[in-house]
Amino acid sequence: MSSSYLFPIKPVPFLYLGDDDRNIPDLSDEELGDLVAVLKSLARGSYPRLEAVPLALNAYNCNQRTDSDGERPWAYFYPITIIPPVRFNKKDDLIPNYPEIQLDFEIRQDLKRRWQPIRYRGDGGPSNQPMEFSLPARYRFICFIHKHRIHRKNTSQKGVHTISIWDREWDELTWHDTYHVDRISRRKDIREFWKHVKAPGFIDEEGSREHFMSRIRYRTVYHICEHMEETLRSPVPPRHTIYAVMSIALFHMNNARDQQVSIVPDRLELFGGQHKGLLPRFFAHLLCLCLDMRPGWSRARQKRFVLQFRILERLQWMRLRTREYLELHDSDGDGDYGVNTKKNDDGGRGWMCEVLNIL
């Protein structure tokens, strides 16, 4: 049975034209602008526009080829939420008024479908268990990026980012906090957030809130940021955690068939996203996806588009690992974005490394 029959749905929140099995979205000008903004920030080593990050991470689900093990499970990213600090009035009533989480309709429908546990498949391939529904679930991870306010001396930046990831493999939510300052307060704030926020279709109010709260894991055993400060003898900017959050998200998506993917290594290349499978791969994926969405563009127009994403020379790790990723064609075997870097192949994209200035 073909994967297109089993999985006719395509990654949200995008619209699509035709029935291309690579899931090439038909982006609006605003959506394309968000991807361009993220690409530019990665090429320049600057902080990405926050509201564009979830859309770009959702785009990482697109244009993934099938392999012998079947489709890789997807992840869905909700718009970034602001987590207010916990405050109580004189009657011990909680003051913060949390906004309601309104998931896309397709996500709510997917949550109703049966998840086929990876741990019962042996090699990670399709399960031989009878299917209760004609359409099994596609989304393993439901992800929520949070922004917290921090008051810290010697830095004017006030935003710290964390991420909550609901894993359907284990029916549990793991909250990741990679910043070492004021973790106790953030943990208290995130607990109150999930204890009170309304999320129809995700947290049903009738008796399941207590069960949901018992399924939260607080992962804070990250020490790299603290070690960096000891070495630099100066504070690491709090908003640098957006790179760590993006890296944790990409780590989950890259290892979506790993049963214990929530155990994220506490390493520098993960905190900053330098590993070739993280931000460099993400950069290459988004760039190729943008080009795939415009098949009618001339080579000259494609080059003009790519030219705006030239990677700065000071970002040697980004230049080297993006080039390595493009040249290896994702040799690890967990995704192929149609990148052809052979210079003599007119139908390929061998010109990309030259235009990006990463030869």
Side-chain angles (χ1 to χ4, degrees):
M1 189 176 296
S2 69
S3 61
S4 61
Y5 177 80
L6 287 174
F7 307 117
I9 61 174
K10 293 181 179 291
V12 297
F14 308 105
L15 298 177
Y16 298 84
L17 294 176
D19 192 27
D20 194 320
D21 63 358
R22 293 180 300 160
N23 297 329
I24 307 299
D26 180 31
L27 296 188
S28 66
D29 291 342
E30 182 179 358
E31 290 172 328
L32 181 59
D34 283 342
L35 296 194
V36 167
V38 172
L39 282 167
K40 286 183 176 179
S41 68
L42 293 177
R44 298 169 183 172
S46 59
Y47 296 104
R49 194 170 69 207
L50 284 180
E51 61 270 21
V53 169
L55 184 83
L57 289 170
N58 280 321
Y60 198 60
N61 290 316
C62 301
N63 200 7
Q64 297 193 63
R65 309 293 181 88
T66 59
D67 56 26
S68 59
D69 290 333
E71 302 263 11
R72 187 193 313 146
W74 294 335
Y76 170 76
F77 294 84
Y78 190 74
I80 292 178
T81 56
I82 307 297
I83 306 297
V86 173
R87 292 185 298 119
F88 295 89
N89 60 21
K90 293 181 179 180
K91 297 181 180 180
D92 289 334
D93 295 327
L94 189 67
I95 295 177
N97 184 21
Y98 301 114
E100 181 177 300
I101 291 177
Q102 298 178 335
L103 297 176
D104 283 58
F105 173 78
E106 290 83 357
I107 300 300
R108 297 198 304 271
Q109 291 299 107
D110 195 81
L111 287 171
K112 295 178 182 178
R113 301 186 181 106
R114 182 172 66 90
W115 173 256
Q116 299 184 56
I118 294 172
R119 58 189 181 275
Y120 298 146
R121 302 182 197 180
D123 61 354
S127 171
N128 294 323
Q129 294 181 344
M131 293 170 53
E132 298 176 6
F133 304 98
S134 59
L135 188 65
R138 277 307 320 267
Y139 291 88
R140 175 177 175 179
F141 307 114
I142 310 298
C143 309
F144 305 87
I145 299 175
H146 314 292
K147 182 177 181 180
H148 310 252
R149 186 174 179 83
I150 188 174
H151 298 280
R152 189 181 186 193
K153 296 179 179 180
N154 303 322
T155 177
S156 60
Q157 299 175 10
K158 305 300 181 183
V160 172
H161 302 92
T162 65
I163 185 169
S164 296
I165 301 179
W166 176 259
D167 186 352
R168 300 178 71 185
E169 178 71 14
W170 301 102
D171 283 335
E172 66 180 24
L173 182 140
T174 303
W175 175 69
H176 299 263
D177 184 358
T178 62
Y179 204 66
H180 61 294
V181 178
D182 209 18
R183 275 186 178 143
I184 295 177
S185 295
R186 286 194 297 278
R187 175 169 174 161
K188 184 184 300 182
D189 294 342
I190 202 69
R191 176 175 175 80
E192 291 300 325
F193 172 80
W194 284 119
K195 185 177 180 180
H196 295 93
V197 68
K198 293 183 178 179
F202 180 58
I203 306 174
D204 296 323
E205 297 298 329
E206 296 182 4
S208 66
R209 178 76 64 166
E210 183 176 349
H211 174 73
F212 175 81
M213 296 302 297
S214 71
R215 303 302 297 170
I216 298 179
R217 306 291 177 259
Y218 303 90
R219 183 163 173 78
T220 60
V221 288
Y222 296 101
H223 307 292
I224 288 298
C225 185
E226 187 174 3
H227 295 335
M228 289 174 61
E229 291 194 350
E230 292 171 352
T231 301
L232 298 173
R233 296 173 177 81
S234 62
V236 172
R239 66 175 178 174
H240 194 88
T241 50
I242 190 61
Y243 296 125
V245 162
M246 293 170 69
S247 297
I248 290 171
L250 294 169
F251 180 85
H252 277 70
M253 298 173 83
N254 291 343
N255 298 281
R257 295 193 186 98
D258 184 346
Q259 297 179 32
Q260 303 294 341
V261 67
S262 64
I263 303 176
V264 180
D266 183 25
R267 298 175 183 167
L268 179 60
E269 62 268 26
L270 270 152
F271 181 77
Q274 290 100 330
H275 188 277
K276 74 170 185 178
L278 299 177
L279 293 183
R281 177 182 178 181
F282 184 50
F283 176 86
H285 169 80
L286 292 184
L287 184 54
C288 293
L289 188 65
C290 288
L291 294 177
D292 285 339
M293 289 184 297
R294 299 295 186 268
W297 279 2
S298 66
R299 177 59 55 82
R301 186 170 182 182
Q302 287 182 334
K303 287 185 176 181
R304 288 196 301 270
F305 180 78
V306 173
L307 187 62
Q308 63 185 318
F309 308 119
R310 298 192 80 172
I311 302 172
L312 297 182
E313 291 189 8
R314 64 179 175 83
L315 300 176
Q316 286 297 328
W317 63 270
M318 186 70 172
R319 291 156 58 89
L320 175 63
R321 291 163 188 169
T322 298
R323 176 186 173 184
E324 183 181 359
Y325 175 76
L326 292 174
E327 290 180 341
L328 288 178
H329 292 228
D330 192 16
S331 62
D332 293 334
D334 56 354
D336 183 351
Y337 304 109
V339 179
N340 190 329
T341 58
K342 295 180 180 178
K343 293 184 178 180
N344 297 326
D345 186 351
D346 292 336
R349 289 176 178 162
W351 50 270
M352 288 182 63
C353 289
E354 180 178 358
V355 174
L356 289 172
N357 194 29
I358 56 176
L359 288 176

